[in-house]
Amino acid sequence: MTLALKMADIEYDAYEEGFDKGREDGLQAGLLAGLQQGIEQGLEQGAYQNKLETARKLIARSYSPEEIADVSGLTIYQVQSLLVGSEQP
C-alpha cells in the first residue's frame, strides 16, 4: 500500500470517527432538548389545570367572573367559557 493510500485511509477513518461522534452528540443534544421541552409543557399544562380547578371551585361558591379571573389567573373570556359549560346539565 502506498503512502498516499495509507494517508487517505487514515483521513477517511478520522472523518468516519468525527461523523459518528457528531451524530452521537447531536442525538444526545436533541434528546435533552426534547426532554426539557416536555417538562416545560407538562408544567404549563399542570399550572393551567390548577387554574381551572380553582375557577371551578369559585364558580361553585358563586363568585363573580371578575373575582374568579382575579383569583385564578384566568382571563374573563376563559372564566365565561367555564360558566357557560357549568350551566349545562
Side-chain angles (χ1 to χ4, degrees), residues 17-58:
E17 185 178 320
F19 182 83
D20 289 344
K21 175 77 170 117
R23 183 178 53 209
E24 286 175 29
D25 289 351
L27 226 113
Q28 189 172 26
L31 288 172
L32 288 173
L35 179 61
Q36 181 64 34
Q37 183 180 6
I39 289 170
E40 288 173 9
Q41 287 177 347
L43 290 172
E44 287 174 11
Q45 288 175 348
Y48 181 68
Q49 291 301 318
N50 189 38
K51 289 178 181 185
L52 290 175
E53 183 179 333
T54 299
R56 287 185 181 111
K57 288 178 182 177
L58 296 172

Side-chain angles (χ1 to χ4, degrees), residues 14 18 27 30 32-33 35 39 46 51 64 67 72 74 77 79 87:
L27 226 113
L32 288 173
L35 179 61
I39 289 170
K51 289 178 181 185
S64 72
E67 290 172 316
S72 69
L74 295 173
Y77 176 77
V79 171
E87 293 173 1

